[in-house]
Each structure stands twice: as C-alpha cells, then as structure tokens.
C-alpha cells in the first residue's frame, strides 16, 4: 500500500553560499525529508558534499536526512555519515563490492538502510535484498548532476518494485530521484512511488517559491 507522498528537496540545487538559510527555508516550506547528494568524482563524475557539511547543517532542522551516497566503495564512510546525522543512508547496488554487507552495516549503526538502482539496473537485483532494506530509491536520471531529463522508461521499474514491496507486506519506502517536476511526479505516484526527490523543480525560483513548488509536486 502506498501512503501520502513525501517530498525530499535535494540541496544539490540550493545556493551553497547560503546553505544554512536554504535548509531552514525548505524545512519551513513543507519538506518532509532533506535529500543530501554525496558524490566522489569516481563513482560519478561530480564531487559534492562530505560528512562535515552534513554535521554543520544537522542542527538547523528536525527533518530526517536522506543521505544518497554516490561513492564507491561506500562502506568505509558509513560510520562518518551516521555520526554526522544521517537518518537514512542510501547506497548504490552498483557501487560494490558487497551491497548486502553495506546494508547490514547501516542497520548495525542504527540507521535506516536504503538501496539505490541506476537506470540500467533491473528490479531483480532486489530479490535477495528487499527483506533487509527500509527504502528503495529508483534513479530516473544517471547519477551525477541535477537538472537532467526524466527517463520515462523507469516508470515500469517503479511499478514492478511497488509490486515486490507490496508482496513483502513490509513498509518499505519507494523513492524516485532525478528530473522530478509536477508532471513526472504524477507519473511516479501513479506507478507506486511514495517519496520523491527534487532539486531543480523546488529551488529554481528562490525561497519565495519553495512552498508552492513543494505543494505542486504533491499534486496541487
Ligand atoms: C542526481 C542526484 C539528484 C539530483 C536531483 O545525481 O542524485 O538528487 O540532484 O536534481 P533534479 O531534481 O534537478 O534532477
Ligand atoms: Zn540524489
């Protein structure tokens, strides 16, 4: 069963010179979670945020931090992101070397464990993982940059994973990340997503626009 959609603004699209104010602004604008994109210049071509930044913004909001690790290998950094204040730690199944071990490690740290699937990765990779995870994140762009075009072919995968989750009978969040705007948000929700990441579609107008932009992703 799906639940009302949660919106997780990606601070990758925030004004980094005013990052603290931006986090407070999206909190006040109705964000459910805060999405933090961590990139290493190796697993993806871009370099972004480390644990020190997560720690610095942690006191500014009570909203859960959804920390998306686009780093390989992720394992040696899991403790640092947990200590910095992550609530959910998301690791790519493609990052290796042992995704099941990474999930076990996150759970042992007392955090919610999420797994992320790149666009070319089939839903089947979840067959022997789903029982261990709290969240699945489907990438609807290739990871590395904000502002990319939504890959519509991922909708079938979202629907397939929704069926897999419902079959478990467990409350596993199904989130989508990349190119989410009010139009693609509706398609994702129809396919069974119950959480959406958005950068460009929320941050594009400056803080005055954040409440309406978040509301638009919920469907009005
Ligand atoms: C892409 C990141 C996304 C991205 C979303 O690698 O994981 O979170 O910043 O940005 P938009 O909404 O602009 O596609
Ligand atoms: Zn992300």
């Amino acid at each position: 069963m799906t639940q009302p959609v949660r919106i997780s603004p990606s601070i990758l699209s925030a004004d980094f010179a005013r990052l603290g104010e931006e986090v407070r602004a999206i909190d006040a604008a109705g964000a459910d979670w805060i999405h933090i994109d961590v990139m290493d210049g190796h697993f993806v071509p871009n370099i972004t945020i480390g644990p020190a930044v997560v720690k610095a913004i942690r006191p500014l909001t009570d909203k859960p931090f959804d920390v998306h690790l686009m780093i390989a290998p992720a394992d040696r950094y899991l403790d640092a992101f947990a200590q910095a204040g992550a609530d959910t730690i998301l690791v790519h199944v493609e990052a290796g070397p042992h995704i099941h071990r990474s999930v076990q490690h996150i759970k042992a740290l007392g955090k919610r464990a999420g797994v992320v699937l790149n666009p070319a990765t089939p839903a089947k990779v979840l067959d022997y993982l789903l029982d261990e995870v709290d969240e699945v994140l489907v990438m609807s762009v290739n990871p590395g940059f904000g502002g990319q075009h939504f890959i519509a072919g991922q909708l079938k995968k979202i629907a397939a994973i929704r069926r897999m989750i419902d079959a478990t009978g467990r409350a596993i969040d199904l989130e989508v990340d990349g190119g989410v705007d009010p139009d693609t948000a509706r398609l994702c929700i129809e396919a069974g997503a119950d959480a959406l990441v958005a950068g460009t579609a929320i941050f594009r107008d400056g803080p005055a626009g954040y409440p309406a932009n978040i509301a638009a992703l919920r469907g009005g």
Side-chain angles (χ1 to χ4, degrees):
M1 281 301 292
T2 50
Q3 53 180 324
V5 70
R6 275 73 47 85
I7 305 297
S8 191
S10 164
I11 61 168
L12 186 61
S13 297
D15 177 353
F16 277 17
R18 303 170 38 256
L19 188 56
E21 292 162 53
E22 292 277 67
V23 169
R24 287 196 174 103
I26 49 172
D27 179 332
D32 298 291
W33 301 338
I34 311 290
H35 188 80
I36 302 174
D37 285 309
V38 177
M39 305 186 189
D40 66 353
H42 164 72
F43 181 67
V44 291
N46 201 359
I47 300 179
T48 58
I49 292 168
V53 175
V54 176
K55 187 177 177 195
I57 60 173
R58 182 65 282 185
L60 305 181
T61 175
D62 293 330
K63 303 283 168 73
F65 279 1
D66 197 30
V67 176
H68 177 189
L69 299 182
M70 285 161 275
I71 64 178
D75 298 38
R76 70 177 72 126
Y77 297 102
L78 298 175
D79 294 60
F81 282 102
Q83 281 159 20
D87 295 282
T88 302
I89 301 180
L90 296 143
V91 285
H92 272 260
V93 298
E94 306 86 3
H98 304 293
I99 184 65
H100 193 281
R101 175 174 288 145
S102 304
V103 167
Q104 287 179 316
H105 187 157
I106 295 166
K107 303 294 285 182
L109 290 167
K111 303 299 179 182
R112 297 178 75 249
V115 293
V116 192
L117 277 61
N118 273 337
T121 301
K124 196 171 170 42
V125 74
L126 297 170
D127 281 357
Y128 298 95
L129 264 179
L130 209 49
D131 282 343
E132 312 289 334
V133 306
D134 302 296
E135 180 174 334
V136 176
L137 177 60
V138 174
M139 293 306 299
S140 42
V141 298
N142 284 292
F145 303 97
Q148 302 183 79
H149 195 70
F150 184 86
I151 301 169
Q154 296 303 303
L155 291 166
K156 263 197 324 203
K157 188 159 81 186
I158 296 163
I161 296 173
R162 166 51 55 200
R163 290 191 292 272
M164 293 168 77
I165 288 174
D166 287 350
T168 69
R170 289 181 54 235
I172 301 168
D173 295 317
L174 177 53
E175 188 171 41
V176 182
D177 185 5
V180 173
D181 63 19
D183 293 331
T184 56
R186 185 176 48 79
L187 300 174
C188 291
I189 294 165
E190 284 170 6
D194 58 13
L196 301 171
V197 176
T200 309
I202 291 174
F203 285 94
R204 63 184 160 204
D205 303 323
Y210 299 167
N213 291 347
I214 290 174
L217 296 171
R218 298 187 202 279

Short mmCIF file of all heavy atoms in Angstrom, two decimals, residues 10-13 35 37 39 44 68 70 92 137 139 141-149 177-180 197-202, ligand 1:
data_model
loop_
_atom_site.label_atom_id
_atom_site.label_comp_id
_atom_site.label_asym_id
_atom_site.label_seq_id
_atom_site.Cartn_x
_atom_site.Cartn_y
_atom_site.Cartn_z
N SER A 10 16.40 18.13 -2.85
CA SER A 10 17.83 17.87 -2.96
C SER A 10 18.59 19.18 -2.83
O SER A 10 18.49 20.06 -3.69
CB SER A 10 18.16 17.23 -4.31
OG SER A 10 19.56 17.34 -4.53
N ILE A 11 19.40 19.30 -1.76
CA ILE A 11 20.14 20.54 -1.54
C ILE A 11 21.27 20.75 -2.54
O ILE A 11 21.91 21.79 -2.53
CB ILE A 11 20.67 20.65 -0.09
CG1 ILE A 11 21.64 19.51 0.23
CG2 ILE A 11 19.51 20.71 0.90
CD1 ILE A 11 22.41 19.74 1.55
N LEU A 12 21.46 19.77 -3.44
CA LEU A 12 22.42 19.97 -4.52
C LEU A 12 22.05 21.20 -5.36
O LEU A 12 22.93 21.86 -5.92
CB LEU A 12 22.45 18.71 -5.41
CG LEU A 12 23.48 18.64 -6.52
CD1 LEU A 12 24.89 18.71 -5.93
CD2 LEU A 12 23.31 17.37 -7.35
N SER A 13 20.77 21.51 -5.43
CA SER A 13 20.31 22.66 -6.21
C SER A 13 20.19 23.94 -5.38
O SER A 13 19.75 24.97 -5.89
CB SER A 13 18.95 22.35 -6.86
OG SER A 13 19.06 21.28 -7.75
N HIS A 35 17.17 15.80 1.23
CA HIS A 35 17.99 14.87 0.43
C HIS A 35 19.39 15.46 0.21
O HIS A 35 19.52 16.58 -0.26
CB HIS A 35 17.30 14.65 -0.91
CG HIS A 35 17.92 13.59 -1.76
ND1 HIS A 35 17.69 12.25 -1.58
CD2 HIS A 35 18.77 13.68 -2.82
CE1 HIS A 35 18.36 11.55 -2.49
NE2 HIS A 35 19.04 12.39 -3.25
N ASP A 37 23.03 14.85 -1.53
CA ASP A 37 23.72 14.11 -2.59
C ASP A 37 25.22 14.14 -2.38
O ASP A 37 25.85 15.19 -2.50
CB ASP A 37 23.37 14.72 -3.95
CG ASP A 37 21.96 14.36 -4.39
OD1 ASP A 37 21.63 13.15 -4.37
OD2 ASP A 37 21.19 15.27 -4.74
N MET A 39 28.82 12.90 -3.65
CA MET A 39 29.47 12.41 -4.87
C MET A 39 30.99 12.47 -4.72
O MET A 39 31.51 13.40 -4.11
CB MET A 39 29.05 13.26 -6.07
CG MET A 39 27.55 13.35 -6.25
SD MET A 39 27.12 14.22 -7.78
CE MET A 39 25.35 14.40 -7.57
N VAL A 44 30.74 8.67 -9.69
CA VAL A 44 30.06 9.63 -10.58
C VAL A 44 31.06 10.73 -10.92
O VAL A 44 32.03 10.93 -10.18
CB VAL A 44 28.79 10.22 -9.93
CG1 VAL A 44 27.69 9.17 -9.80
CG2 VAL A 44 29.09 10.85 -8.59
N HIS A 68 22.22 10.29 0.21
CA HIS A 68 22.37 9.49 -1.01
C HIS A 68 23.86 9.44 -1.37
O HIS A 68 24.43 10.41 -1.85
CB HIS A 68 21.54 10.18 -2.12
CG HIS A 68 21.64 9.54 -3.46
ND1 HIS A 68 21.12 10.12 -4.61
CD2 HIS A 68 22.18 8.35 -3.86
CE1 HIS A 68 21.33 9.34 -5.64
NE2 HIS A 68 21.98 8.26 -5.23
N MET A 70 26.74 8.53 -3.56
CA MET A 70 27.19 8.16 -4.91
C MET A 70 28.71 8.06 -4.84
O MET A 70 29.44 8.85 -5.46
CB MET A 70 26.71 9.22 -5.92
CG MET A 70 25.22 9.10 -6.21
SD MET A 70 24.52 10.60 -6.92
CE MET A 70 24.18 11.53 -5.43
N HIS A 92 24.33 2.70 -3.46
CA HIS A 92 24.04 2.16 -4.80
C HIS A 92 24.37 0.67 -4.86
O HIS A 92 25.45 0.26 -4.42
CB HIS A 92 24.86 2.91 -5.85
CG HIS A 92 24.18 4.13 -6.36
ND1 HIS A 92 23.52 4.14 -7.57
CD2 HIS A 92 24.04 5.36 -5.83
CE1 HIS A 92 23.01 5.35 -7.76
NE2 HIS A 92 23.31 6.11 -6.72
N LEU A 137 15.45 3.44 -3.68
CA LEU A 137 15.49 4.68 -4.46
C LEU A 137 15.77 4.33 -5.92
O LEU A 137 16.80 3.71 -6.23
CB LEU A 137 16.59 5.61 -3.92
CG LEU A 137 16.83 6.92 -4.68
CD1 LEU A 137 15.57 7.78 -4.69
CD2 LEU A 137 17.98 7.70 -4.05
N MET A 139 16.67 5.63 -9.53
CA MET A 139 17.21 6.79 -10.26
C MET A 139 16.48 6.92 -11.60
O MET A 139 16.49 5.98 -12.41
CB MET A 139 18.71 6.62 -10.52
CG MET A 139 19.60 6.65 -9.28
SD MET A 139 19.42 8.10 -8.24
CE MET A 139 19.87 9.42 -9.35
N VAL A 141 17.37 9.43 -13.58
CA VAL A 141 18.43 10.01 -14.42
C VAL A 141 19.68 9.22 -14.08
O VAL A 141 19.72 8.52 -13.06
CB VAL A 141 18.69 11.51 -14.13
CG1 VAL A 141 17.45 12.36 -14.42
CG2 VAL A 141 19.21 11.74 -12.72
N ASN A 142 20.72 9.34 -14.90
CA ASN A 142 22.01 8.78 -14.49
C ASN A 142 22.61 9.71 -13.44
O ASN A 142 22.59 10.93 -13.60
CB ASN A 142 22.92 8.61 -15.70
CG ASN A 142 22.50 7.42 -16.53
OD1 ASN A 142 22.61 6.28 -16.08
ND2 ASN A 142 21.95 7.67 -17.71
N PRO A 143 23.12 9.13 -12.34
CA PRO A 143 23.52 9.98 -11.22
C PRO A 143 24.74 10.84 -11.55
O PRO A 143 25.57 10.47 -12.36
CB PRO A 143 23.85 8.96 -10.12
CG PRO A 143 24.22 7.72 -10.86
CD PRO A 143 23.38 7.71 -12.09
N GLY A 144 24.81 11.99 -10.90
CA GLY A 144 25.98 12.86 -11.05
C GLY A 144 25.66 14.34 -11.11
O GLY A 144 26.46 15.16 -10.67
N PHE A 145 24.49 14.66 -11.62
CA PHE A 145 24.15 16.07 -11.80
C PHE A 145 22.66 16.31 -11.61
O PHE A 145 21.85 15.44 -11.94
CB PHE A 145 24.54 16.53 -13.22
CG PHE A 145 25.99 16.30 -13.52
CD1 PHE A 145 26.39 15.17 -14.21
CD2 PHE A 145 26.96 17.20 -13.09
CE1 PHE A 145 27.74 14.91 -14.46
CE2 PHE A 145 28.30 16.96 -13.33
CZ PHE A 145 28.70 15.82 -14.03
N GLY A 146 22.34 17.51 -11.12
CA GLY A 146 20.95 17.95 -11.11
C GLY A 146 20.56 18.45 -12.49
O GLY A 146 21.40 18.58 -13.38
N GLY A 147 19.28 18.72 -12.66
CA GLY A 147 18.81 19.38 -13.87
C GLY A 147 18.75 18.51 -15.12
O GLY A 147 18.69 19.03 -16.23
N GLN A 148 18.76 17.18 -14.97
CA GLN A 148 18.68 16.30 -16.14
C GLN A 148 17.22 15.92 -16.43
O GLN A 148 16.32 16.12 -15.63
CB GLN A 148 19.50 15.03 -15.89
CG GLN A 148 20.96 15.28 -15.60
CD GLN A 148 21.72 13.96 -15.45
OE1 GLN A 148 22.06 13.31 -16.43
NE2 GLN A 148 21.96 13.56 -14.21
N HIS A 149 17.05 15.32 -17.62
CA HIS A 149 15.72 14.98 -18.12
C HIS A 149 15.27 13.63 -17.55
O HIS A 149 16.03 12.66 -17.56
CB HIS A 149 15.78 14.93 -19.65
CG HIS A 149 14.45 14.94 -20.29
ND1 HIS A 149 13.63 16.04 -20.30
CD2 HIS A 149 13.78 13.96 -20.94
CE1 HIS A 149 12.51 15.74 -20.92
NE2 HIS A 149 12.57 14.48 -21.33
N ASP A 177 14.28 9.64 -7.92
CA ASP A 177 15.25 10.75 -7.89
C ASP A 177 15.72 11.06 -9.30
O ASP A 177 16.30 10.20 -9.96
CB ASP A 177 16.44 10.33 -7.01
CG ASP A 177 17.46 11.43 -6.79
OD1 ASP A 177 17.24 12.58 -7.23
OD2 ASP A 177 18.49 11.12 -6.15
N GLY A 178 15.48 12.31 -9.73
CA GLY A 178 16.05 12.80 -10.99
C GLY A 178 14.99 13.26 -11.97
O GLY A 178 14.14 12.48 -12.39
N GLY A 179 15.03 14.56 -12.30
CA GLY A 179 14.10 15.09 -13.29
C GLY A 179 12.65 15.10 -12.83
O GLY A 179 11.74 15.08 -13.66
N VAL A 180 12.44 15.12 -11.51
CA VAL A 180 11.06 15.11 -10.98
C VAL A 180 10.52 16.54 -10.99
O VAL A 180 11.10 17.44 -10.37
CB VAL A 180 11.01 14.50 -9.57
CG1 VAL A 180 9.61 14.65 -8.97
CG2 VAL A 180 11.41 13.03 -9.61
N VAL A 197 12.33 12.83 -4.71
CA VAL A 197 13.42 13.80 -4.58
C VAL A 197 13.25 14.83 -5.68
O VAL A 197 12.92 14.48 -6.81
CB VAL A 197 14.79 13.10 -4.76
CG1 VAL A 197 15.93 14.12 -4.72
CG2 VAL A 197 14.98 12.01 -3.71
N ALA A 198 13.50 16.11 -5.37
CA ALA A 198 13.52 17.11 -6.43
C ALA A 198 14.48 18.23 -6.07
O ALA A 198 14.49 18.71 -4.92
CB ALA A 198 12.12 17.68 -6.68
N GLY A 199 15.30 18.61 -7.03
CA GLY A 199 16.22 19.73 -6.85
C GLY A 199 15.75 20.93 -7.63
O GLY A 199 15.17 21.87 -7.10
N THR A 200 15.95 20.87 -8.94
CA THR A 200 15.62 22.00 -9.82
C THR A 200 14.18 22.47 -9.64
O THR A 200 13.93 23.67 -9.54
CB THR A 200 15.82 21.56 -11.29
OG1 THR A 200 17.13 21.00 -11.41
CG2 THR A 200 15.69 22.74 -12.24
N ALA A 201 13.24 21.54 -9.59
CA ALA A 201 11.82 21.91 -9.56
C ALA A 201 11.43 22.64 -8.27
O ALA A 201 10.43 23.34 -8.24
CB ALA A 201 10.94 20.67 -9.73
N ILE A 202 12.24 22.49 -7.22
CA ILE A 202 11.94 23.19 -5.97
C ILE A 202 12.75 24.48 -5.85
O ILE A 202 12.21 25.53 -5.52
CB ILE A 202 12.21 22.27 -4.76
CG1 ILE A 202 11.17 21.13 -4.74
CG2 ILE A 202 12.17 23.08 -3.44
CD1 ILE A 202 11.40 20.07 -3.69
C1 LIG B 1 21.49 13.21 -9.21
C2 LIG B 1 21.05 13.43 -7.78
C3 LIG B 1 19.69 14.05 -7.67
C4 LIG B 1 19.56 15.40 -8.30
C5 LIG B 1 18.12 15.79 -8.42
O1 LIG B 1 22.68 12.52 -9.22
O2 LIG B 1 21.01 12.22 -7.09
O3 LIG B 1 19.27 14.08 -6.31
O4 LIG B 1 20.27 16.38 -7.64
O5 LIG B 1 18.06 17.00 -9.09
P1 LIG B 1 16.94 17.33 -10.18
O6 LIG B 1 15.64 17.33 -9.44
O7 LIG B 1 17.34 18.70 -10.64
O8 LIG B 1 17.02 16.28 -11.24
#
